[in-house]
Amino acid sequence: MIDRYAVIGNPIAHSKSPLIHSMFAAQTGQDISYEAILAPLDGFAATVERLRKEGYKGCNVTVPFKFEAYELVRELAERTPPAGAPTQRATNARAANTLKFHENFIDGDNTDGTGLVRNIERILGVSLHGKRILLIGAGGAAYGVALPLLLAEAHLFIANRTPEKADQFALHLGKLGHVVNVYNFPNEADRKQFDLIINATSAGLSNELPPLPADIFAPGALAYDMMYGRETPFMRFAREHGAQVADGLGMLVEQAAEAFYIWRGVRPDTAPIIAALRT
Ligand SMILES: NC(=O)c1ccc[n+]([C@@H]2O[C@H](COP(=O)([O-])OP(=O)(O)OC[C@H]3O[C@@H](n4cnc5c(N)ncnc54)[C@H](OP(=O)(O)O)[C@@H]3O)[C@@H](O)[C@H]2O)c1
């Protein structure tokens, strides 16, 4: 029987994950199906349970369920030790985007950080070492990428619309042994420029722009929006203020490739797939 996988989110109709995984399957000769599933905002755990009962092998998790996915795996692991657990990457992020189902337990991982770092360093050719990075957002995506960025030896600043969540995020990273600065924008007294600004907010979904000062981009800066599929106000703003701009399609393909590897033990070649999706 064909092995079934899915991505769970809300909203989910825009997701390119089914297309990407079908391209991976064709490229690597793996016999799988992959679909997008809309879960009610209060129905994530029930949706996972239904998929497990129906024999699915695993799922990806997207907005807004990544923190809940991590908690689900952690609680299940506590009830069924020693089997099943969040990986170190998921624990560091307190968020999971890749679940692998077993009969009595679930493994949970987080491939977002690996996906982002691979896309920026290998595909876009931008070294993160020593760069001043502003990471905007304090949701599942931001938590997923922060530690991998720090491990690439970048200087990380974080900012978020709700400042208390940025403080909690900094505290969390502090507990992991990393000092990060919270950047409250726009703050005239604390003007800074960054080499890389990553928009890890969902502001683009509602066509909104996080409140950024116009002179925030250092010369040659890269503005990276995790959203993909269209130019967001953040991307437009960055372009108008002299930054290079990238969307999140490359990250999407790279994090998906890492999930595919976790499930299937085969690593797809991502570059031709990113190129094909762009055309
Ligand atoms: N390309 C990829 O592979 C990839 C991977 C992961 C995520 N993403 C994208 O990344 C985005 C965030 O995902 P997530 O899982 O972190 O979502 P999430 O957990 O729901 O967090 C959303 C974040 O966006 C902020 N935000 C929402 N609307 C905003 C606005 N109008 N202005 C400023 N900040 C705003 C929230 O701030 P508050 O704390 O103030 O609410 C929060 O920090 C989504 O667009 C998702 O599609 C892409």
Side-chain angles (χ1 to χ4, degrees):
M1 203 174 80
I2 193 166
D3 287 345
R4 299 166 78 190
Y5 297 90
V7 56
I8 305 176
N10 186 332
I12 198 62
H14 66 287
S15 176
K16 284 204 169 12
S17 293
L19 174 61
I20 291 169
H21 280 274
S22 73
M23 292 168 91
F24 289 167
Q27 189 197 63
T28 60
Q30 295 282 308
D31 198 13
I32 67 158
S33 71
Y34 187 108
E35 68 209 86
I37 293 179
L38 178 75
L41 290 175
D42 61 353
F44 173 72
T47 304
V48 169
E49 204 37 45
R50 175 174 71 78
L51 297 190
R52 286 180 68 197
K53 284 203 178 113
E54 290 176 9
Y56 284 70
K57 299 288 182 191
C59 68
N60 285 129
V61 181
T62 187
V63 183
F65 299 123
K66 290 180 185 181
F67 291 131
E68 201 176 336
Y70 168 71
E71 286 304 325
L72 183 74
V73 173
R74 197 184 56 77
E75 281 167 19
L76 209 59
E78 274 176 13
R79 275 188 268 138
T80 54
T87 61
Q88 195 58 49
R89 293 193 295 201
T91 303
N92 289 340
R94 286 198 298 189
N97 76 337
T98 303
L99 307 187
K100 187 173 178 178
F101 299 156
H102 304 269
E103 201 172 321
N104 297 317
F105 61 93
I106 303 177
D107 288 327
D109 205 338
N110 192 312
T111 65
D112 279 342
T114 303
L116 177 73
V117 170
R118 272 201 198 132
N119 183 226
I120 292 178
E121 293 207 312
R122 290 200 202 158
I123 305 282
L124 302 177
V126 175
S127 165
L128 295 168
H129 183 91
K131 294 281 162 63
R132 285 167 66 87
I133 301 179
L134 177 63
L135 176 62
I136 312 171
Y143 270 72
V145 302
L147 197 68
L149 291 171
L150 287 161
L151 293 177
E153 297 188 29
H155 304 295
L156 192 64
F157 291 70
I158 54 179
N160 192 50
R161 176 178 63 179
T162 310
E164 297 76 28
K165 288 196 199 163
D167 293 338
Q168 281 166 20
F169 190 13
L171 214 60
H172 168 70
L173 292 168
K175 284 183 193 151
L176 296 175
H178 294 272
V179 178
V180 300
N181 301 287
V182 174
Y183 178 62
N184 294 311
F185 53 61
N187 180 346
E188 297 295 331
D190 186 27
R191 277 293 172 75
K192 285 189 173 54
Q193 289 199 318
F194 297 93
D195 306 305
L196 171 60
I197 302 186
I198 300 169
N199 184 16
T201 76
S202 44
L205 285 175
S206 49
N207 235 10
E208 289 175 294
L209 174 72
L212 293 170
D215 57 357
I216 197 162
F217 302 100
L222 172 65
Y224 192 104
D225 199 319
M226 286 196 191
M227 257 198 72
Y228 56 88
R230 64 186 156 88
E231 188 176 67
T232 62
F234 170 74
M235 291 162 74
R236 204 171 312 123
F237 176 82
R239 200 186 304 282
E240 284 166 6
H241 292 91
Q244 300 173 60
V245 173
D247 71 1
L249 183 70
M251 172 182 173
L252 182 77
V253 173
E254 296 293 347
Q255 63 77 29
E258 187 73 6
F260 194 85
Y261 178 70
I262 290 166
W263 292 327
R264 312 299 302 177
V266 183
R267 205 175 278 287
D269 182 6
T270 51
I273 289 181
I274 296 172
L277 288 167
R278 291 241 178 258
T279 58

